[in-house]
Amino acid sequence: MRIGFFGGTFNPVHYGHLRAAEEARTLLSLDAIQFLPSGNPPLKNADLADMHDRVALTKLAIAGNPMFSLCDIELQSAQKSFTVDTARALAERYPQDDLIFILGADAFLDLPNWYRPEELTSLIDFAVVIRPGFAPEIVLQSPFLGERVAVEPETWQLRGGRTAVFLQITPLGISSTQIRRLIREDKSIRYLVPDSVADYIEKKLLYRE
Ligand code: ATP
């Protein structure tokens, strides 16, 4: 099987995430996508909702799509989880499968600030979805990219030995930051997130302050 793992805080999950996952799945002929929410980091930023709520929201958002599921690997420990450890754990959990870590261009550009990025890029292949505000020319400046190894789809060697494929997807300028701001300002978030997500947020009064 070819499995994509879509990492993020999903604070909250929105249609930008869902559409990116769906387009990555079709462009890369993946058999499944697992959404991989981060746990609660010890230095949690003020508007990070509780892990249980973020997980519940993500489950609501992906319900009904048999190709989408939730990966709990980063939720099992109270410690901050590093993607390098997650990648190793995933390789152990799925020894027979072809694993791809999906992330947005902004997250990919931030790789130098991650824990042991070089090792991470030796462990798992990446799929980078282009996001509004992050043109391919900007992303190609990442110090983690080596030689280009394919043109269609555009694929580059990563410093650690694995590859990164760049995916041009429908640009949706939605972010969790925007959604949290709209909620604080008491404005509608309808059609930016599934209705089930908006209903849960409203019922539990999340992101109000
Ligand atoms: P925040 O605004 O709080 O930083 P976010 O909207 O970027 O959140 P994350 O949970 O951090 O959401 O994102 C998970 C992954 O999805 C990241 O790799 C991010 O780059 C990617 N992503 C988020 N929104 C989009 C979008 N609209 N289009 C494509 N990729 C996206």
Side-chain angles (χ1 to χ4, degrees):
M1 288 236 294
R2 274 165 69 72
I3 312 173
F5 292 89
F6 193 19
T9 43
F10 302 117
N11 184 41
V13 64
H14 52 69
Y15 277 130
H17 297 131
L18 294 168
R19 185 67 201 171
E22 180 65 358
E23 293 198 27
R25 184 184 70 73
T26 52
L27 287 167
L28 299 173
S29 307
L30 302 176
D31 298 294
I33 302 265
Q34 295 196 21
F35 285 67
L36 181 65
S38 59
N40 278 337
L43 295 174
K44 110 177 187 173
N45 84 41
D47 57 2
L48 182 66
D50 185 82
M51 176 182 86
H52 297 101
D53 286 321
R54 290 182 291 111
V55 168
L57 289 166
T58 307
K59 282 186 176 163
L60 285 170
I62 64 180
N65 185 340
M67 303 278 199
F68 288 178
S69 63
L70 191 113
C71 179
D72 62 356
I73 215 156
E74 291 195 357
L75 308 175
Q76 291 159 356
S77 134
Q79 299 294 312
K80 189 175 168 93
S81 32
F82 295 112
T83 308
V84 65
D85 299 325
T86 303
R88 219 177 286 108
L90 289 173
E92 275 171 31
R93 199 186 265 196
Y94 300 99
Q96 312 290 348
D97 298 300
D98 193 5
L99 312 183
I100 298 168
F101 188 76
I102 302 166
L103 77 179
D106 55 318
F108 179 72
L109 279 172
D110 195 40
L111 208 56
N113 300 320
W114 292 22
Y115 183 61
R116 300 201 174 162
E118 182 121 15
E119 190 180 340
L120 174 61
T121 58
S122 75
L123 291 171
I124 194 162
D125 290 322
F126 282 60
V128 183
V129 291
I130 300 304
R131 190 179 177 177
F134 295 86
E137 312 81 78
I138 301 174
V139 186
L140 291 178
Q141 287 167 11
S142 165
F144 277 84
L145 293 177
E147 298 279 291
R148 185 159 72 177
V149 292
V151 177
E152 194 54 52
E154 177 120 2
T155 310
W156 293 72
Q157 194 76 47
L158 286 168
R159 217 200 260 175
R162 294 298 194 129
T163 60
V165 58
F166 290 89
L167 303 178
Q168 294 287 352
I169 60 165
T170 307
L172 292 174
I174 307 174
S175 69
S176 300
T177 303
Q178 171 203 15
I179 290 164
R180 295 192 302 272
R181 182 173 37 79
L182 288 170
I183 295 168
R184 271 198 312 276
E185 292 171 356
D186 211 16
K187 292 182 179 149
S188 168
I189 58 167
R190 253 194 124 181
Y191 309 123
L192 296 173
V193 300
D195 286 348
S196 54
V197 168
D199 290 346
Y200 183 103
I201 290 173
E202 197 178 326
K203 195 171 88 206
K204 298 212 64 183
L205 304 174
L206 300 181
Y207 308 116
R208 297 258 143 212
E209 47 197 309

